[in-house]
Amino acid sequence: MRTLNPRRIAGNVVIFVILFLVLGGIIGGVLSVGRTLFGVVDHAQKSNAVLNDDEPLGAIPGVSVTEKTEALDVDPLSLEGSASVQFIDVGQGDATLFMFPDGETLLIDTGTYDNFRTLKRTLSEAGVEKLSSLIITHAHDDHMGSAASVLDQFSPSAVYFSPPPETFEVTVASYQAFLDRMAKYPTSYISPEEGDIIMAGDNYQVTVVSRSLDPALITDINDTSMVTRIEIYDTVFLVMGDAEAPLEEDLLERGAPVDCDVLLLPHHGSSSSFSYDFSAKTHATYAVLSCAADNEYGFPHAVTLEKIALYGIELFRTDEQGTITATVTASGIAFDAEREGKK
């Protein structure tokens, strides 16, 4: 029978305990390092998630986060390479000022003569002394009422206008005043054709997309409206004048490029314009409505507002918000309103 040596047993136990403690320390150290490493990776993953998903960042020691804001704390016009588009509050009418990145300017329509003081102040405050181009969409007072005054005081280098057919008798006084001024102006107005590029620079282009309809199809001077497509960087504006159903149908039948990011609603939001087919084809993200508060025509009509809601278009209104300004850069577009609209 084998006899166990107590001293040897005790020695083996001591050795086993020492090995256990050493191995335990090594394993604990490895786990601690692992936790540290995985903690760093976890923080990095959380940080990336914030950057990718714009989710709120948790409290990470040593990390300072500035919340994203809707507007930059700088003058948008001071941004290098930016363009400005002002949908000017001229009451019941249209007047839109484009200031392109290279300093060229375009005014589309002038509003009524009664609102010329507002128009003049807006252009002057924007630093406009002389216009590069003036477009008159059609011969209605709420679109060309101040045209003669604009010719006198802002001397546009080029004037674009398509007169109504001779079969129409135009009795608007501002139309005759415009023709009288043009008769003495250094250059004649130009009547562009469909597809004509009337202004262009490195980051913008202005194209006429409408054409003169057959006089037999024209029932109103609104149907003679010049429709222009203005591309600035990757943002597209579509300015419709008072285009109504016949002109909208012609644009769609010809496959004219009516898709846009920002639509100046035709005919101030009238039910006679902005048909379901046309509104669907624009794919507009934003719409601007230019009209007077409590105007006698009831603009905008309810059906137009229903279509805007149906297609999820964000709406800006001069009757509620005053002049609407869009700042366009290579990164996108931002809007600002003169005053807060109704809730």
Side-chain angles (χ1 to χ4, degrees):
M1 179 176 179
R2 186 178 177 183
T3 303
L4 298 177
N5 188 332
R7 290 183 179 179
R8 179 175 293 179
I9 293 173
N12 289 338
V13 169
V14 170
I15 292 172
F16 177 79
V17 170
I18 292 172
L19 288 174
F20 178 81
L21 291 175
V22 170
L23 289 174
I26 293 173
I27 293 172
V30 170
L31 291 175
S32 177
V33 171
R35 282 193 298 269
T36 301
L37 290 174
F38 283 112
V40 171
V41 171
D42 185 55
H43 278 174
Q45 289 175 339
K46 289 180 180 178
S47 179
N48 285 337
V50 170
L51 293 175
N52 292 333
D53 300 328
D54 286 337
E55 294 176 355
L57 187 64
I60 299 177
V63 177
S64 175
V65 178
T66 301
E67 293 182 359
K68 188 167 63 176
T69 58
E70 298 253 339
L72 297 174
D73 190 21
V74 297
D75 178 3
L77 297 182
S78 69
L79 298 174
E80 184 177 355
S82 68
S84 169
V85 182
Q86 292 191 65
F87 301 91
I88 304 169
D89 181 12
V90 289
Q92 186 53 46
D94 275 3
T96 308
L97 174 65
F98 289 82
M99 301 180 69
F100 298 108
D102 61 1
E104 296 293 297
T105 54
L106 165 66
L107 179 66
I108 302 182
D109 288 337
T110 69
T112 63
Y113 178 74
D114 290 342
N115 284 284
F116 177 65
R117 182 174 296 180
T118 299
L119 178 65
K120 180 181 179 180
R121 183 182 67 250
T122 302
L123 268 62
S124 298
E125 290 177 352
V128 177
E129 297 180 355
K130 177 180 173 61
L131 285 165
S132 304
S133 297
L134 169 66
I135 292 177
I136 301 298
T137 60
H138 65 293
H140 269 166
D141 188 63
D142 57 337
H143 291 256
M144 69 176 307
S146 295
S149 298
V150 168
L151 292 174
D152 286 343
Q153 300 198 32
F154 293 97
S155 306
S157 299
V159 181
Y160 299 92
F161 174 65
S162 295
E166 295 180 357
T167 53
F168 275 82
E169 182 181 359
V170 182
T171 59
V172 177
S174 57
Y175 175 56
Q176 191 58 53
F178 168 74
L179 295 180
D180 291 343
R181 289 292 198 285
M182 286 304 308
K184 302 174 184 178
Y185 205 65
T187 60
S188 300
Y189 65 74
I190 301 167
S191 297
E193 299 291 333
E194 169 199 355
D196 283 354
I197 297 172
I198 60 177
M199 294 183 73
D202 288 342
N203 300 304
Y204 68 92
Q205 180 172 294
V206 181
T207 308
V208 175
V209 298
S210 58
R211 65 173 181 174
S212 298
L213 295 181
D214 182 338
L217 299 176
I218 299 175
T219 59
D220 191 283
I221 290 180
N222 289 337
D223 297 329
T224 68
S225 293
M226 188 188 308
V227 180
T228 48
R229 176 184 171 91
I230 302 94
E231 302 170 64
I232 309 174
Y233 292 108
D234 294 325
T235 300
V236 178
F237 296 79
L238 193 67
V239 179
M240 301 284 296
D242 278 351
E244 297 193 331
L247 186 50
E248 290 180 353
E249 291 172 7
D250 183 70
L251 290 168
L252 295 181
E253 288 174 1
R254 293 187 294 103
V258 298
D259 57 302
C260 61
D261 299 291
V262 184
L263 173 69
L264 179 57
L265 282 168
H267 203 182
H268 319 284
S270 170
S271 59
S272 60
S273 302
F274 199 52
S275 66
Y276 279 103
D277 286 344
F278 186 82
S279 55
K281 291 294 177 62
T282 65
H283 304 292
T285 303
Y286 308 98
V288 178
L289 173 64
S290 184
C291 67
D294 303 318
N295 61 82
E296 61 181 300
Y297 309 102
F299 297 150
H301 291 156
V303 67
T304 300
L305 297 178
E306 289 171 5
K307 294 171 190 173
I308 290 170
L310 175 65
Y311 292 108
I313 301 171
E314 186 172 349
L315 178 64
F316 296 91
R317 298 176 55 161
T318 62
D319 60 333
E320 296 182 355
Q321 298 167 283
T323 294
I324 309 297
T325 302
T327 301
V328 186
T329 68
S331 301
I333 185 171
F335 285 87
D336 187 31
E338 186 177 5
R339 57 182 182 269
E340 188 175 349
K342 296 179 181 179
K343 297 296 185 183

